[in-house]
Amino acid sequence: MRKQEVRTGREAGQGHGTGSPAEQVKALMDLLAGKGSQGSQAPQALDRTPDAPLGPCSNDSRIQRHRKALLSKVGGGPELGGPWHRLASLLLVEGLTDLQLREHDFTQVEATRGGGRPARTVALDRLFLPLSRVSVPPRVSITIGVAGMGKTTLVRHFVRLWAHGQVGKDFSLVLPLTFRDLNTHEKLCADRLICSVFPHVGEPSLAVAVPARALLILDGLDECRTPLDFSNTVACTDPKKEIPVDHLITNIIRGNLFPEVSIWITSRPSASGQIPGGLVDRMTEIRGFNEEEIKVCLEQMFPEDQALLGWMLSQVQADRALYLMCTVPAFCRLTGAALGHLWRSRTGPQDAELWPPRTLCELYSWYFRMALSGEGQEKGKASPRIEQVAHGGRKMVGTLGRLAFHGLLKKKYVFYEQDMKAFGVDLALLQGAPCSCFLQREETLASSVAYCFTHLSLQEFVAAAYYYGASRRAIFDLFTESGVSWPRLGFLTHFRSAAQRAMQAEDGRLDVFLRFLSGLLSPRVNALLAGSLLAQGEHQAYRTQVAELLQGCLRPDAAVCARAINVLHCLRELQHTELARSVEEAMESGALARLTGPAHRAALAYLLQVSDACAQEANLSLSLSQGVLQSLLPQLLYCRKLRLDTNQFQDPVMELLGSVLSGKDCRIQKISLAENQISNKGAKALARSLLVNRSLTSLDLRGNSIGPQGSKALADALKINRTLTSLSLQGNTVRDDGARSMAEALASNRTLSMLHLQKNSIGPMGAQRMADALKQNRSLKELILQSNSISDAGVAALMGALCTNQTLLSLSLRENSISPEGAQAIAHALRANSTLKNLDLTANLLHDQGARAIAVAVRENRTLTSLHLQENAIGDDGACAVARALKVNTALTALYLQVASIGASGAQVLGEALAVNRTLEILDLRGNAIGVAGAKALAHALKVNSSLRRLNLQENSLGMDGAICIATALSGNHRLQHINLQGNHIGDSGARMISEAIKTNAPTCTVEM
């Protein structure tokens, strides 16, 4: 932490109590510049905890007046926009992603599906405190959020809480400034900057108010008139020197001015990239609304109309694109206003086919109609006539449109009176109800007025409406206002110019503008705005040609960029959805592999963002070539679950996927690459990505050929990775060497909970290594070692580990040649272990001796809930031992005894056990030979058993008589939910009769015949 030199109020009063105003200003400037007194009491101020009482300076009347002034400015209560607990904590993020730096705010929300990166949170009251005992408070903090996310609301909320003494208690002075205020100055010095927000410096005895620590808030960096240039700005340490405002801000951030003052900057993500990462001590992000907060926001808007609220919520939930954008609070409120007007206007038969809105442009058209209708104007005023509405719409677009359009081109989002005059805006018109729905007015500290559109998207909509109208009559390029041509250029020429410029804009700032411009040509929008803004039917002459023009923008680039995806959004706004629909149908039918053209790739990337099915899981199995995958890489970053099975991918593709998984933007949580052609080189590429990836929790590589070397690479990554919880390496021939590498990783890894190593030629040595790891590991919950060759020696080692391991819940040793000797080791472990819940011993060599040993242990075990003994030839003797265990065991809920050579006598003792057992829910006896006698025994048990839910008696030679016994027994059993009687030689007529009997006796039970 930089050394703070603090002067207490008492010392300051002694030194400067009678100084002149100029000296008082200097005192404050010296303190903010870190030149305060270094008296003996300074260290005490530094040691003050956040919850300690404020220093004497906080009681100074000037500070109190400052607090009151701030309260009067920010207001005293919550603002509309959802529950406040959303702002109670922020997401801690490590720098900006490429998406945030390069793309439009809408694209950021759509690509990430409205969700933030996995991140820690920091409470608002700890925003400027150290995160740990060994860290220091941040000097420069940045909070980012897309347009409308609530950055200014957050600042006002913080200032309000600080003024009430609820947060920021270690700050004696908080100085909030907006870039809207700063834009009114060409040049400014540091002391004037402070005086503008803390006017009390001119009063006597200012020095008494010298704070121990100050916070300077700079809200809205994205609205700064001049971009910050840290490379070419001259250093300035003189607080009296007037310099350009952008130079002043740059020097404050660098610490040349006010080095001891904490700086808090808010910004849209792309603009915050102006500040070098090395100067930022802490970056946080405001999260958007969740589903409940969307509901609360709309409830606040319409508290008394439950029918409207219910309908509105159903519309938002039904349209995924609309729901994603409603995670942005400002957009949610705008949507509520538009849908509310639509609801109140729905009685008009001419509008019956125009609601609900299906596209962004339709939604904004309803908002436009709301503004023109004067909804919300003062009571007593007559509603405007149709002619007035039409004239008002055209006049408003003419007044504000050119301002909005050229502001968009110049990245200008705040306008002042000189801007209004320059673009010929009639200030008197801005006082009307229509304009007030689009433009908001704000007084600045310099006593001037700033104007900005209520939301960035409204500026883009008005700009598009202006361009649409102007392009029908302009004889010059509207983007440059030059290149006069006669006759007129024509609408299509202007649209092509707009599309080309949007495709060339690397920051995507014209993306949504182009969407709106396309949407104005859709039939539904034309019907909505006919008369007020558009001419009836004028879209028909251009719609088809514009669709062809847009599709012509989809070129065979190496990768599908965000601009190409925006073209698909434009086609949707145009209601030309044939391309996207054809690709969606191909995905559903598994015919995607034949669609490889540039347009199809762009449509697939678009669907990965907006499709409900892809939101759950993007299944691209059996679909992709390496070329298509390479073109989709930028979009795969944001898929939560990704299936790429059976695509014949080889190692070079893993290099590409590794680069995706290594990206800071990566949101992939689960990825399946099963049944490809990945060798150890591909595994090494994926392993390198796991060293840095922080999102992936599940990796499925089953059915590849990574071998021992690939296993070792992944194991080395697991020693560092802290997010992966599930890893499947089934069928990769990792052998004992690979198992040893995995065991070494498990000894230190604390996050992996599922490890699948079946069909890997692992022998006793590999099992021994895994056993050693289990004695140390505390995270693994599921281990599958089936279809290996671990034999009795390996089992003995693993069971020895289970005697001490207290975390493993499921263990599969299916098909491992375990004999009765191994069963003895298993029995010993079951007596000692108190955590294992599922044990699979299918298809081993246990026979009746092994079953007896295990059954004796099950009598004592109190945790095992599922036991698989099928295909072990345990016979009637083994079944008898298991039955005796069931009579006393109270934990087992599932028992699998398929193909276990059990006959009628074995079934009889199992029936006797079921008559007294109260916990078993699943019993599977498929493929045995219990016959009619066994069926009668089980039927008798079913009459009194109250726990069994599923019973499988498939292929047991029951015959008609045995099946009837089971069916009639169900009349007294109302718990059984499913029974399987297939393969018992009952015949079709017998099956129908028994099925009817079961339906009569046990109507809630489903039967398979």
Side-chain angles (χ1 to χ4, degrees):
M1 179 178 177
R2 297 178 181 86
K3 183 179 179 182
Q4 280 189 307
E5 294 138 350
V6 182
R7 163 177 278 175
T8 66
R10 178 171 168 271
E11 292 171 322
Q14 289 174 347
H16 297 277
T18 58
S20 66
E23 290 172 333
Q24 295 161 17
V25 172
K26 183 177 184 302
L28 182 56
M29 292 305 106
D30 284 347
L31 176 107
L32 296 175
K35 300 176 182 178
S37 167
Q38 299 186 35
S40 60
Q41 296 187 34
Q44 298 174 13
L46 282 174
D47 292 338
R48 191 176 60 216
T49 63
D51 296 326
L54 298 178
C57 57
S58 64
N59 295 320
D60 186 272
S61 60
R62 293 150 190 79
I63 297 293
Q64 295 305 320
R65 281 201 295 274
H66 177 61
R67 290 176 185 262
K68 290 179 181 178
L70 290 180
L71 280 175
S72 65
K73 183 178 180 181
V74 301
E79 299 166 22
L80 186 63
W84 278 108
H85 63 76
R86 182 180 71 95
L87 301 179
S89 63
L90 303 176
L91 302 175
L92 276 170
V93 294
E94 296 183 6
L96 299 166
T97 65
D98 289 342
L99 181 75
Q100 291 173 317
L101 285 170
R102 299 177 183 174
E103 300 300 342
H104 190 285
D105 291 18
F106 270 33
T107 304
Q108 294 178 38
V109 176
E110 290 165 343
T112 59
R113 295 176 173 82
R117 289 175 276 174
R120 297 166 55 194
T121 60
V122 58
L124 189 62
D125 59 356
R126 300 193 62 81
L127 185 57
F128 305 102
L129 298 177
L131 295 178
S132 66
R133 292 183 178 181
V134 296
S135 60
V136 298
R139 180 180 175 271
V140 176
S141 301
I142 296 181
T143 296
I144 58 172
V146 298
M149 191 58 82
K151 299 179 292 295
T152 298
T153 301
L154 172 68
V155 168
R156 290 174 176 171
H157 182 51
F158 179 88
V159 170
R160 184 185 301 118
L161 293 178
W162 175 81
H164 285 301
Q166 296 175 11
V167 299
K169 296 177 182 179
D170 54 339
F171 291 122
S172 297
L173 193 61
V174 171
L175 307 169
L177 278 169
T178 69
F179 280 91
R180 295 180 188 181
D181 295 324
L182 296 173
N183 288 341
T184 59
H185 302 276
E186 291 290 340
K187 289 187 174 183
L188 199 60
C189 62
D191 60 354
R192 281 185 57 203
L193 176 74
I194 300 303
C195 290
S196 65
V197 71
F198 190 67
H200 315 292
V201 294
E203 300 182 10
S205 302
L206 165 76
V208 177
V210 169
R213 191 177 172 202
L215 172 66
L216 177 62
I217 303 175
L218 300 172
D219 181 29
L221 174 60
D222 49 285
E223 297 177 348
C224 184
R225 182 169 53 187
T226 308
L228 304 183
D229 185 355
F230 284 82
S231 301
N232 301 310
T233 299
V234 177
C236 175
T237 58
D238 183 2
K240 295 287 186 182
K241 183 177 180 180
E242 286 200 350
I243 53 178
V245 170
D246 57 308
H247 291 198
L248 176 64
I249 299 303
T250 301
N251 276 285
I252 290 175
I253 294 173
R254 279 197 180 280
N256 297 328
L257 295 167
F258 308 155
E260 300 298 326
V261 173
S262 295
I263 311 296
W264 184 22
I265 302 165
T266 68
S267 175
R268 288 168 57 198
S270 56
S272 65
Q274 301 174 60
I275 303 176
L279 297 178
V280 180
D281 301 310
R282 183 171 298 172
M283 181 171 285
T284 53
E285 185 172 358
I286 304 178
R287 69 168 180 83
F289 279 166
N290 57 31
E291 188 169 351
E292 180 61 27
E293 289 163 344
I294 291 174
K295 180 181 178 181
V296 171
C297 177
L298 297 176
E299 282 178 342
Q300 289 180 348
M301 297 181 70
F302 307 100
E304 298 178 356
D305 196 334
Q306 292 301 309
L308 167 58
L309 179 64
W311 173 81
M312 199 176 293
L313 288 172
S314 69
Q315 296 305 313
V316 170
Q317 292 165 352
D319 188 331
R320 179 164 182 79
L322 183 60
Y323 171 77
L324 290 180
M325 294 314 304
C326 281
T327 60
V328 179
F331 186 91
C332 187
R333 293 191 291 271
L334 186 150
T335 299
L339 292 180
H341 172 70
L342 186 159
W343 174 266
R344 287 183 285 269
S345 308
R346 70 190 187 283
T347 53
Q350 70 277 12
D351 293 337
E353 297 181 359
L354 300 180
W355 66 285
R358 300 175 185 170
T359 66
L360 197 64
C361 197
E362 287 179 35
L363 181 70
Y364 280 66
S365 297
W366 280 106
Y367 187 87
F368 187 80
R369 283 176 52 147
M370 179 201 73
L372 295 186
S373 70
E375 190 172 298
Q377 66 184 4
E378 294 179 21
K379 292 184 179 180
K381 289 189 176 181
S383 299
R385 297 194 305 272
I386 295 177
E387 312 86 63
Q388 292 175 317
V389 168
H391 177 71
R394 295 190 187 97
K395 189 171 183 180
M396 185 182 75
V397 171
T399 298
L400 298 182
R402 189 162 171 261
L403 178 78
F405 176 66
H406 288 281
L408 204 59
L409 298 185
K410 298 174 183 177
K411 299 185 183 180
K412 189 176 180 68
Y413 310 110
V414 181
F415 307 95
Y416 299 89
E417 290 187 1
Q418 60 268 32
D419 299 313
M420 298 297 188
K421 292 177 182 178
F423 286 99
V425 176
D426 183 1
L427 295 180
L429 186 67
L430 300 182
Q431 309 304 318
C435 283
S436 65
C437 290
F438 284 85
L439 210 66
Q440 61 186 32
R441 182 179 185 274
E442 185 176 313
E443 298 283 346
T444 69
L445 291 175
S447 299
S448 62
V449 178
Y451 299 89
C452 69
F453 285 87
T454 309
H455 188 252
L456 171 62
S457 57
L458 285 174
Q459 181 175 347
E460 292 164 320
F461 177 78
V462 174
Y466 161 77
Y467 189 90
Y468 179 90
S471 63
R472 299 175 61 81
R473 58 182 180 274
I475 60 172
F476 50 80
D477 183 357
L478 290 167
F479 281 89
T480 60
E481 297 193 339
S482 63
V484 177
S485 171
W486 190 265
R488 295 176 181 176
L489 293 174
F491 176 79
L492 288 175
T493 303
H494 284 293
F495 189 94
R496 183 181 294 106
S497 174
Q500 289 173 347
R501 289 181 181 272
M503 293 295 289
Q504 294 165 3
E506 293 183 357
D507 58 1
R509 70 179 182 276
L510 296 178
D511 281 1
V512 177
F513 163 79
L514 188 64
R515 289 191 205 180
F516 284 133
L517 186 59
S518 303
L520 291 170
L521 290 167
S522 81
R524 286 165 61 93
V525 170
N526 182 267
L528 279 169
L529 299 181
S532 60
L533 186 60
L534 308 177
Q536 182 75 42
E538 65 181 356
H539 64 287
Q540 296 174 355
Y542 307 113
R543 185 167 172 265
T544 302
Q545 294 166 288
V546 165
E548 293 174 356
L549 191 156
L550 286 169
Q551 291 186 68
C553 295
L554 300 174
R555 297 170 183 169
D557 297 324
V560 179
C561 63
R563 306 290 81 71
I565 295 175
N566 192 62
V567 168
L568 271 296
H569 282 288
C570 292
L571 288 171
R572 181 173 185 263
E573 294 290 336
L574 194 62
Q575 293 180 23
H576 188 94
T577 58
E578 290 81 355
L579 175 60
R581 193 161 56 246
S582 67
V583 174
E584 189 169 27
E585 290 171 356
M587 285 182 71
E588 293 171 354
S589 63
L592 195 59
R594 59 183 174 82
L595 302 179
T596 59
H600 296 125
R601 297 183 187 189
L604 179 54
Y606 165 78
L607 290 171
L608 288 176
Q609 281 191 8
V610 303
S611 165
D612 285 333
C614 290
Q616 299 301 318
E617 180 181 71
N619 187 354
L620 301 177
S621 302
L622 289 165
S623 305
L624 301 185
S625 65
Q626 179 175 340
V628 174
L629 177 75
Q630 189 167 357
S631 68
L632 291 175
L633 287 179
Q635 312 313 318
L636 296 182
L637 278 166
Y638 308 107
C639 296
R640 295 288 193 271
K641 299 178 182 179
L642 185 59
R643 285 187 61 187
L644 299 170
D645 304 341
T646 324
N647 277 306
Q648 299 183 353
F649 287 157
Q650 298 180 350
D651 296 337
V653 178
M654 297 307 104
E655 295 283 354
L656 297 173
L657 284 175
S659 67
V660 171
L661 293 171
S662 300
K664 189 184 294 184
D665 296 31
C666 184
R667 301 287 202 282
I668 301 174
Q669 296 174 0
K670 297 184 178 181
I671 185 169
S672 178
L673 292 161
E675 307 296 335
N676 282 290
Q677 299 171 13
I678 307 168
S679 73
N680 66 85
K681 291 183 179 179
K684 289 176 181 177
L686 294 173
R688 286 192 293 272
S689 70
L690 290 180
L691 296 174
V692 295
N693 180 280
R694 295 189 179 183
S695 65
L696 196 67
T697 60
S698 176
L699 175 60
D700 188 348
L701 291 173
R702 58 194 157 87
N704 285 285
S705 306
I706 70 169
Q709 293 184 29
S711 178
K712 183 180 186 307
L714 291 169
D716 290 341
L718 286 178
K719 295 174 183 177
I720 297 174
N721 182 281
R722 291 292 179 267
T723 57
L724 199 70
T725 60
S726 175
L727 176 62
S728 177
L729 299 179
Q730 172 184 344
N732 273 280
T733 324
V734 304
R735 300 191 177 90
D736 285 345
D737 288 343
R740 183 180 66 246
S741 299
M742 278 293 153
E744 292 173 357
L746 287 178
S748 59
N749 183 283
R750 293 292 180 268
T751 54
L752 196 70
S753 61
M754 296 173 60
L755 179 59
H756 294 188
L757 293 174
Q758 59 266 50
K759 297 183 180 179
N760 270 295
S761 303
I762 298 172
M765 187 61 70
Q768 176 68 60
R769 297 289 188 178
M770 295 300 296
D772 293 340
L774 287 177
K775 292 176 182 178
Q776 302 177 57
N777 182 276
R778 295 293 180 269
S779 65
L780 200 66
K781 291 180 171 56
E782 178 177 304
L783 176 61
I784 298 182
L785 289 169
Q786 76 178 55
S787 305
N788 284 292
S789 306
I790 65 174
S791 69
D792 291 339
V795 166
L798 288 167
M799 294 305 109
L802 279 187
C803 290
T804 56
N805 181 285
Q806 297 298 315
T807 55
L808 196 68
L809 301 178
S810 179
L811 176 63
S812 175
L813 297 174
R814 175 190 295 238
E815 299 173 8
N816 268 287
S817 304
I818 304 170
S819 73
E821 182 181 347
Q824 294 290 342
I826 294 171
H828 176 69
L830 288 178
R831 292 188 188 96
N833 183 279
S834 60
T835 54
L836 194 70
K837 293 184 177 298
N838 178 55
L839 178 60
D840 189 349
L841 298 172
T842 301
N844 281 288
L845 306 171
L846 301 181
H847 301 297
D848 55 342
Q849 301 140 293
R852 283 197 298 269
I854 292 171
V856 172
V858 169
R859 292 169 63 97
E860 302 175 23
N861 184 282
R862 294 292 179 266
T863 55
L864 195 70
T865 58
S866 177
L867 178 61
H868 298 251
L869 294 175
Q870 62 263 42
E871 300 178 41
N872 269 289
I874 67 173
D876 289 336
D877 286 346
C880 288
V882 172
R884 286 193 293 272
L886 284 179
K887 290 181 178 180
V888 295
N889 180 280
T890 58
L892 208 63
T893 59
L895 178 61
Y896 299 90
L897 298 173
Q898 305 99 298
V899 195
S901 304
I902 299 173
S905 61
Q908 287 173 352
V909 291
L910 285 171
E912 293 172 4
L914 285 179
V916 296
N917 182 280
R918 294 294 179 265
T919 56
L920 196 70
E921 298 177 1
I922 299 172
L923 177 60
D924 195 333
L925 291 169
R926 177 178 58 84
N928 288 289
I930 68 172
V932 177
K936 289 181 178 179
L938 291 175
H940 176 72
L942 288 177
K943 292 178 180 179
V944 294
N945 181 278
S946 61
S947 64
L948 207 63
R949 301 288 184 271
R950 300 177 68 87
L951 176 62
N952 188 349
L953 296 176
Q954 183 180 355
E955 299 170 7
N956 263 284
S957 304
L958 302 185
M960 177 72 76
D961 292 341
I964 290 175
C965 287
I966 296 294
T968 54
L970 295 182
S971 60
N973 187 307
H974 302 290
R975 298 284 185 173
L976 203 66
Q977 298 172 354
H978 181 272
I979 186 169
N980 190 332
L981 297 174
Q982 291 177 325
N984 279 290
H985 309 293
I986 300 171
D988 291 342
S989 59
R992 284 194 295 272
M993 182 178 68
I994 293 169
S995 180
E996 289 299 324
I998 291 178
K999 287 181 181 178
T1000 302
N1001 294 332
T1004 60
C1005 180
T1006 59
V1007 59
E1008 291 186 60
M1009 300 290 289

